[in-house]
Amino acid sequence: MNTFNAATKIASALGLASVAIEGHDIAKRTARRSGAKASTDKFVRDEIGASKLNHESIKHSASKDFFADGNVTDKFHEVFGTIGGYISGFAKCAWNNIFTIAFGAVGLIAKSKPVKTTALLGMGLSILVDTLFNGTSLFERKDYLDK
């Protein structure tokens, strides 16, 4: 294996690793938010359900309060909300970095030098464009006070 092949594999692996690390971080934060939201939504649904009666009945009111306060399925909703949030956060990151992932994968499996060169250039360009648009404020509107 020559130096160019090794450099291509290393650069591709590092590009994919950076996306994976960022994806995991975004997914963890999204998972925490989604788990909390699922738990909160469940609480609100339980409280609304317990506050409504089909007709006046102390017996039905007591049973609705018992089921609302029972918290039988709260953990279930929180866990699945967290899992869904993690998957959603990671998928969102992967979609935002789709070109880096694609060119990095091509760089890892490519056999010919032109394809490897194209993969390196494409991955470098996609990282550069991502950094310019998302890591700087060059292309953001900053004149909110001016009309």
Side-chain angles (χ1 to χ4, degrees), residues 89-102:
F90 198 87
K92 190 179 295 185
C93 177
W95 181 254
N96 289 341
N97 292 293
I98 191 70
F99 292 112
T100 303
I101 293 170

Side-chain angles (χ1 to χ4, degrees), residues 22-39 76-94:
E22 180 185 25
H24 176 64
D25 183 61
I26 290 170
K28 284 191 313 185
R29 284 188 267 133
T30 306
R32 280 192 296 271
R33 277 194 311 269
S34 295
K37 184 178 180 329
S39 180
F76 174 80
H77 285 276
E78 184 179 345
V79 167
F80 280 98
T82 302
I83 291 169
Y86 188 91
I87 292 169
S88 170
F90 198 87
K92 190 179 295 185
C93 177

Side-chain angles (χ1 to χ4, degrees), residues 53-73:
L53 289 174
N54 295 336
H55 54 69
E56 289 184 35
S57 168
I58 193 163
K59 176 179 65 172
H60 294 142
S61 176
S63 67
K64 282 191 171 200
D65 287 339
F66 172 77
F67 287 117
D69 295 337
N71 302 327
V72 177
T73 60

Side-chain angles (χ1 to χ4, degrees), residues 11 15 99-100 103-104 117-131:
F99 292 112
T100 303
F103 285 120
T117 304
T118 304
L120 282 176
L121 291 173
M123 190 173 65
L125 183 63
S126 70
I127 291 171
L128 176 67
V129 167
D130 179 55
T131 302

Side-chain angles (χ1 to χ4, degrees), residues 32 109 134:
R32 280 192 296 271
I109 62 173
N134 299 317

